[in-house]
Amino acid sequence: MTDETPVLRLEGIVKTFPGVRALDGVSLSILPGEVHALMGENGAGKSTLMKVLGGIHQPDEGQIIVEEKPVVMSGPLDAKAKGIVFIHQELSLADELSVAENIYLGELPRKRFGLVDWAELEAKTKAILEKLKVSFNAKTRVGDLSIANQQMVEIARALTVDAKAVIFDEPTASLTDAEKVVLFEVISDLQEQGVGIAYISHRMEEIFKITDRISVLRDGQYQGTVNTAETDEEGVTQMMIGRKLDLSRNESHHELGDVALEVRGLSCGDLFQDVSFEVRRGEVVGFYGLVGAGRTEIAETLFGLRDPTAGTILMDGEEVRIHSPYDAIERGISLVPEDRKGQGLVLGMNCRDNMTLPQVDDLKAGPFVAEGAEIAIFDQYRDKLDIRTPGWKQLVGNLSGGNQQKIVIGKWLSMHPNVLIVDEPTRGIDVGSKAEIHNLLRELAAQGYAVIVISSEMPEVLHVADRIVAMYSGRIMRTFTSEEVTEENLIAAISGLETEKVA
Amino acid sequence: MAEFTKQDIGKLLAKQGILIAFAVFIVGFTIANPKFLTIDNFENVVRSSAILGVMALGVTFVVISGNLDLSVGSMMSFSTIVVLDLHDKLGPTLAIPAMFAMTLCLGAFIGILVGYLKLNSLIVTLGMLSAIHGLTLTYSGGKNIDIADKEGTWFAIFGQGNVMGIQTPILIFIALAALLGIILAKTPFGRKVYAVGGNGTAATFSGIRRARVVFLCYIMSAFCVATAGLIQASRSMGSQNTVGQGLELEVLAAVILGGASLLGGSGTIFKTVIGVLILGFIQNGLLLVGLDFSVQYVVTWVIIILAVWLDIAAKRGKLMSPIA
């Protein structure tokens, strides 16, 4: 490469959490004036790396080097003071304050008696906004701006310091195409000013449009850096997925039973439209797509958490109406939700009580909860799922992520559902437990359960699913059998590239 | 052995602070007035805490489900006035169930607003505090209500009777505590109360009908308030419209002192009973050392603040923190 001094360099960063080696010797450097993509599957360690950079986590080993000086980041403000600025996917702005106030929040210029120097504030803000060529002014209320413009405010905030490197985390997740163009212009302006840009995104087309180099992480390990011009989508995908092992399709082809669940033309407002599919007993159907493609919302609708605006749901050929999770459970639908801690578990409750919660009304001895029956259920699923806990009295909040997830899965298996929906079953779970959960899902199908797996990880859907439903922006683009699917056609489908060909 | 750091002491204080403070109080009061630590005084404390205690049992359900009930004081005034008034009009046999029915209706109303309409319980019950007070005044025309023939009725048994030497208010408190303690700890409903307060979203995702659980907690609370009103009416055989005024805070103080978290999901009936007794002993002790009754208002407030602070401190593991 060039002989320029990197604005930001990482050397051998290691970060471990109990049971997980989240970052395993990651090194990379960002040069002034380049756009450097950071890619990897969910769980590859990108967000942990960002947290280490921002001083939210301290690395166990390795160094952060800003302009050839080793530094210790004590927090996001410290990082900003050192010229490393983050633009997060989720905006952190005060809606009720003006653009200027948001940009200088916490460091408003002062006059005598501690009063805000409004004239100075407006002048400084104006200078920054001019640099960004935006259409709004300093006094606009932030809540009145579009999401894209709010993001501009975040970027403006970054520019109040002499930024050396700006890190964008999925900046286009909620932008329209026109808004993206504006964002890319700003990025290229920053580039011209010699700022180093780190750009995290899953979207291949953006990566190839605006970045100079691509670095890839996989399972916390640095896979290498390539020049964007010298590679293609396939090459990057190969680096991201890597493990041939996980691409192995499921081989246990067992007999499929009757259709357990059929969905016809289901829509829910803007979230998803005209979704039709069926799941047979003994079959695992994978739902794959980008975050926001509408997969979770479909699961939530099937589970009675949302009311569909159109379409029908049939179970065993009979039309059903599901208005609440209570109804769904009565019909034999179970959902292992996406957000384990927020939706799946009562963290302050013990393992047994969490596991038997949905059926506590049925486990009765006289008017009381039959604790013996509860313990029997817990013991059965602890053994079956190999849940490692000192005993049922252990609070669920004290278990590791993998064991917590198994408690949630056990909770729903013990209900003997007709249809089991699992949403991101291995998010935030270490590699070993991942494989166990994958095998478990296959086994469940073999036992005759109808299983729906929603996942953002390609190896996962390839590994566990008999059929894969690819979604893009609220619609089903294509349904693949495990024979037809390839990484390329799957990526094309979830990126919306195959719209005309198959829809 | 690691050295005791400031943080360790903070943690110990946070975990056991209430008991430590209570022990200091007891020692101090006993030195100041040896009468404090006697069986007679103990019975005295329990009897005078019984009304508050009965109300605290119901509020425990509400607090564990993650909500508040600030309406119990004025609701208790309402129950007392209604049962006294109806006593002379319908006779005690009909007056008591009629009063329970009316009080449960108030509880159901709050339960609908907080449970089904998902309105903030603080706002709803604070509003109900004054709305029910207004209702009581309208009902009574603002006048005190007295039972005309105080000697010729069996109505006095709830407040003034005794069984084998134990006074009925104490018995009612113990019996109700045992019953509700079992409901909370042993039945599916109790389990659901903990789940709803611990993580309402996860409870919903487990098919628990959260609104119904919250609704039933307010019904429980209203039932306890009606019982407390019955004891109060029977004890005094006549009452002002403001008999329960201010009790809502003492009740809440007792529940929180017992260790139920204001955030919901934790607490037990047994702990609440302990909280009630602690509050009762402190108030009794203050009287015995000769402090004026009015000082109790200040002390009760100090205790609430202390309890809430320690509750939060226990959650975050230290006494002070820049973030909540």
Side-chain angles (χ1 to χ4, degrees):
Chain A
M1 284 294 303
T2 58
D3 52 10
E4 284 176 282
T5 337
V7 284
L8 175 65
R9 198 151 63 84
L10 299 175
E11 256 185 25
I13 302 282
V14 174
K15 178 72 197 173
T16 54
F17 296 108
V20 194
R21 208 168 166 86
L23 291 175
D24 195 359
V26 174
S27 304
L28 65 101
S29 58
I30 294 166
L31 301 172
E34 78 161 339
V35 178
H36 192 131
L38 185 59
M39 299 195 72
E41 291 181 81
N42 292 339
K46 289 170 302 186
S47 57
T48 311
L49 188 64
M50 290 307 111
K51 284 180 180 158
V52 167
L53 254 182
I56 294 164
H57 295 321
Q58 293 305 321
D60 300 336
E61 287 171 37
Q63 274 190 324
I64 302 169
I65 298 160
V66 177
E67 291 189 325
E68 294 307 302
K69 285 188 287 283
V71 295
V72 174
M73 300 291 187
S74 63
L77 284 179
D78 187 34
K80 187 174 175 182
K82 293 186 166 99
I84 311 298
V85 195
F86 296 84
I87 310 293
H88 290 289
Q89 185 176 356
E90 279 150 42
L91 304 170
S92 51
L93 297 170
D95 279 355
E96 295 299 327
L97 298 183
S98 72
V99 168
E101 286 169 302
N102 265 288
I103 293 176
Y104 283 96
L105 203 60
E107 44 199 10
L108 294 169
R110 302 291 175 88
K111 291 191 296 193
R112 265 180 307 158
F113 310 122
L115 296 173
V116 174
D117 187 343
W118 294 106
E120 163 94 4
L121 176 64
E122 207 184 325
K124 283 168 91 175
T125 307
K126 222 172 161 185
I128 292 179
L129 294 182
E130 268 167 22
K131 229 179 349 182
L132 290 174
K133 302 182 192 113
V134 292
S135 56
F136 52 89
N137 68 42
K139 285 180 176 166
T140 315
R141 186 178 154 272
V142 160
D144 294 334
L145 296 175
S146 67
I147 299 287
N149 278 332
Q150 290 187 5
Q151 199 160 31
M152 289 299 156
V153 177
E154 283 270 5
I155 295 171
R157 201 194 248 178
L159 299 181
T160 60
V161 293
D162 181 18
K164 299 188 175 79
V166 180
I167 293 141
F168 288 88
D169 188 359
E170 297 271 4
T172 55
S174 43
L175 298 189
T176 63
D177 286 342
E179 290 167 341
K180 279 182 200 167
V181 173
V182 179
L183 175 72
F184 294 158
E185 276 171 17
V186 171
I187 289 177
S188 94
D189 284 350
L190 287 172
Q191 230 177 325
E192 275 164 27
Q193 292 160 27
V195 177
I197 312 274
Y199 192 88
I200 300 172
S201 178
H202 286 293
R203 306 192 182 199
M204 288 285 185
E205 71 274 16
E206 289 171 14
I207 298 289
F208 281 91
K209 196 165 159 191
I210 69 164
T211 70
D212 301 308
R213 293 196 296 161
I214 301 172
S215 289
V216 177
L217 291 180
R218 186 205 308 153
D219 291 337
Q221 288 178 339
Y222 172 67
Q223 297 298 315
T225 301
V226 291
N227 289 327
T228 309
E230 294 161 17
T231 185
D232 54 16
E233 292 189 16
E234 204 182 325
V236 175
T237 310
Q238 188 73 25
M239 281 172 83
M240 278 165 58
I241 297 170
R243 286 166 303 175
K244 286 291 173 196
L245 176 86
D246 259 1
L247 289 174
S248 66
R249 310 292 159 75
N250 60 81
E251 256 116 55
S252 53
H253 278 298
H254 39 264
E255 286 290 299
L256 296 188
D258 302 331
V259 175
L261 174 75
E262 188 182 350
V263 170
R264 287 187 199 149
L266 199 67
S267 300
C268 183
D270 295 336
L271 297 168
F272 58 85
Q273 295 87 37
D274 197 23
V275 166
S276 303
F277 63 92
E278 56 176 46
V279 189
R280 293 175 173 274
R281 290 182 202 288
E283 184 179 40
V284 180
V285 173
F287 273 71
Y288 185 64
L290 294 169
V291 172
R295 296 163 302 157
T296 296
E297 289 75 11
I298 292 175
E300 286 174 351
T301 307
L302 291 175
F303 198 58
L305 290 158
R306 296 176 189 276
D307 281 326
T309 46
T312 50
I313 301 168
L314 294 91
M315 295 197 67
D316 296 318
E318 206 177 303
E319 184 173 343
V320 294
R321 297 199 170 273
I322 301 166
H323 296 295
S324 67
Y326 181 83
D327 291 346
I329 292 166
E330 292 276 287
R331 304 274 181 197
I333 298 178
S334 287
L335 171 68
V336 175
E338 181 179 19
D339 177 0
R340 188 165 57 234
K341 291 180 179 175
Q343 302 167 334
L345 295 165
V346 183
L347 293 177
M349 252 189 181
N350 66 43
C351 295
R352 180 199 69 183
D353 293 0
N354 263 290
M355 198 180 269
T356 56
L357 198 53
Q359 53 180 324
V360 70
D361 272 326
D362 302 324
L363 296 171
K364 276 197 293 195
F368 304 127
V369 180
E371 299 204 9
E374 283 191 295
I375 293 171
I377 289 175
F378 174 78
D379 285 345
Q380 184 191 345
Y381 286 90
R382 179 197 58 203
D383 296 344
K384 187 168 176 173
L385 305 178
D386 191 23
I387 298 171
R388 268 149 277 170
T389 156
W392 63 262
K393 287 179 181 162
Q394 182 74 17
L395 295 186
V396 162
N398 296 334
L399 300 182
S400 73
N403 282 312
Q404 285 182 350
Q405 185 70 329
K406 288 179 188 171
I407 296 270
V408 185
I409 294 176
K411 164 164 120 175
W412 292 113
L413 286 188
S414 64
M415 301 291 292
H416 304 291
N418 295 321
V419 178
L420 177 67
I421 308 171
V422 287
D423 194 353
E424 301 289 358
T426 61
R427 173 172 291 175
I429 286 177
D430 62 279
V431 181
S433 301
K434 258 187 193 183
E436 284 179 40
I437 287 172
H438 290 162
N439 292 338
L440 179 72
L441 293 172
R442 290 304 308 164
E443 264 175 49
L444 291 173
Q447 288 164 26
Y449 286 98
V451 183
I452 295 176
V453 176
I454 297 170
S455 179
S456 301
E457 296 183 35
M458 191 189 288
E460 184 159 281
V461 282
L462 289 175
H463 187 56
V464 302
D466 296 301
R467 283 189 299 131
I468 298 173
V469 175
M471 288 198 66
Y472 173 74
S473 161
R475 289 179 181 278
I476 291 182
M477 302 310 289
R478 186 173 165 186
T479 301
F480 298 92
T481 65
S482 58
E483 286 78 28
E484 330 177 303
V485 67
T486 65
E487 290 151 45
E488 290 73 25
N489 60 22
L490 190 52
I491 285 193
I494 65 149
S495 312
L497 300 179
E498 275 200 24
T499 324
E500 272 73 44
K501 270 188 275 173
V502 292
Chain B
M1 271 283 288
E3 249 179 272
F4 258 117
T5 63
K6 243 178 152 179
Q7 236 184 358
D8 288 332
I9 296 169
K11 266 188 190 168
L12 184 73
L13 263 179
K15 269 194 159 166
Q16 306 296 345
I18 293 288
L19 286 178
I20 294 169
F22 184 49
V24 172
F25 267 118
I26 297 267
V27 172
F29 285 141
T30 311
I31 293 168
N33 189 336
K35 251 199 283 178
F36 184 72
L37 215 59
T38 59
I39 293 181
D40 270 359
N41 192 47
F42 186 77
E43 193 183 357
N44 186 25
V45 167
V46 180
R47 195 204 55 226
S48 61
S49 304
I51 290 178
L52 178 98
V54 166
M55 290 161 74
L57 298 175
V59 171
T60 302
F61 278 79
V62 174
V63 169
I64 293 176
S65 80
N67 293 298
L68 287 175
D69 192 348
L70 295 178
S71 69
V72 291
S74 65
M75 202 189 286
M76 196 273 256
S77 304
F78 174 82
S79 306
T80 308
I81 291 293
V82 166
V83 78
L84 287 170
D85 178 66
L86 294 182
H87 178 277
D88 284 5
K89 291 177 180 160
L90 307 173
T93 327
L94 281 178
I96 294 169
M99 177 275 276
F100 267 80
M102 288 164 80
T103 310
L104 290 180
C105 282
L106 293 177
F109 183 62
I110 298 174
I112 288 167
L113 294 184
V114 178
Y116 290 93
L117 300 188
K118 302 198 165 51
L119 303 182
N120 180 293
S121 66
L122 178 74
I123 305 296
V124 169
T125 60
L126 199 57
M128 284 300 275
L129 186 159
S130 69
I132 296 174
H133 183 55
L135 195 63
T136 311
L137 287 174
T138 313
Y139 183 90
S140 68
K143 294 191 292 284
N144 293 352
I145 307 278
D146 285 282
I147 289 176
D149 180 9
K150 293 191 171 70
E151 305 304 319
T153 173
W154 52 269
F155 186 71
I157 57 164
F158 303 106
Q160 302 169 34
N162 71 78
V163 178
M164 291 186 297
I166 306 173
Q167 300 169 33
T168 30
I170 298 180
L171 285 177
I172 293 174
F173 179 39
I174 292 174
L176 202 56
L179 176 70
L180 295 187
I182 288 171
I183 290 178
L184 186 58
K186 297 290 178 192
T187 65
F189 171 70
R191 185 73 59 77
K192 288 189 262 184
V193 172
Y194 283 106
V196 164
N199 184 347
T201 309
T204 305
F205 271 74
S206 295
I208 290 172
R209 285 170 288 188
R210 191 170 157 187
R212 174 184 292 204
V213 172
V214 171
F215 175 83
L216 287 174
C217 284
Y218 279 103
I219 294 288
M220 294 284 217
S221 183
F223 178 82
C224 290
V225 168
T227 310
L230 178 64
I231 298 172
Q232 174 65 42
S234 165
R235 192 156 109 186
S236 54
M237 303 299 273
S239 178
Q240 300 175 331
N241 290 287
T242 53
V243 61
Q245 201 171 51
L247 272 182
E248 57 280 334
L249 284 189
E250 286 188 45
V251 164
L252 197 59
V255 172
I256 299 300
L257 270 175
S261 166
L262 270 181
L263 301 172
S266 74
T268 64
I269 289 293
F270 178 73
K271 283 180 175 173
T272 291
V273 171
I274 299 292
V276 168
L277 293 181
I278 290 178
L279 196 66
F281 271 112
I282 290 172
Q283 293 184 341
N284 167 269
L286 291 173
L287 282 181
L288 285 185
V289 296
L291 280 178
D292 194 71
F293 179 76
S294 51
V295 177
Q296 281 190 14
Y297 287 105
V298 180
V299 172
T300 308
W301 177 83
V302 170
I303 291 167
I304 296 173
I305 296 300
L306 200 67
V308 170
W309 179 35
L310 289 170
D311 173 47
I312 296 167
K315 283 250 152 54
R316 64 189 175 210
K318 46 184 176 177
L319 291 175
M320 288 203 230
S321 156
I323 51 165

